[in-house]
Amino acid sequence: MKDMQAQLEKLRRDAAECALIRDLATDPKKRELFARLAEHLAVLASAVEQAIGESAGSEITPDLPPRP
C-alpha cells in the first residue's frame, strides 16, 4: 500500500510539473505536448487513487461467505 501511495504522489508531482512547463512554454507544440502529458498523468493518478481506495475498502471489510 505504501508503494501505491508513493506512486500516487509521484504522479501528482509529475502532472503538476508538466502543467507548469505547459504554462511557461512559448512554443505552441510544446505547450500542447505538456498539456497532454499533464492530463494523462492526472488520469493515471486518479486511477491509482481509485485502486488505493478499493484496496483500503477490501482491507477494512473482508469478504465474508454468504449466509445460508
Side-chain angles (χ1 to χ4, degrees):
M1 181 68 99
K2 290 181 182 179
D3 290 341
M4 289 178 74
Q5 188 66 36
Q7 287 300 314
L8 174 60
E9 292 170 10
K10 182 177 182 337
L11 286 168
R12 286 181 177 163
R13 279 193 311 270
D14 290 347
E17 187 174 336
C18 285
L20 177 63
I21 293 170
R22 173 204 63 210
D23 294 343
L24 297 174
T26 55
D27 182 331
K29 288 185 180 185
K30 286 184 181 179
R31 184 180 295 258
E32 181 184 336
L33 172 66
F34 282 97
R36 285 186 301 166
L37 286 171
E39 178 63 29
H40 183 67
L41 290 168
V43 168
L44 291 174
S46 294
V48 171
E49 188 172 29
Q50 183 178 357
I52 289 171
E54 290 171 359
S55 177
S58 66
E59 289 175 9
I60 294 171
T61 57
D63 292 334
L64 299 174
R67 292 187 172 192

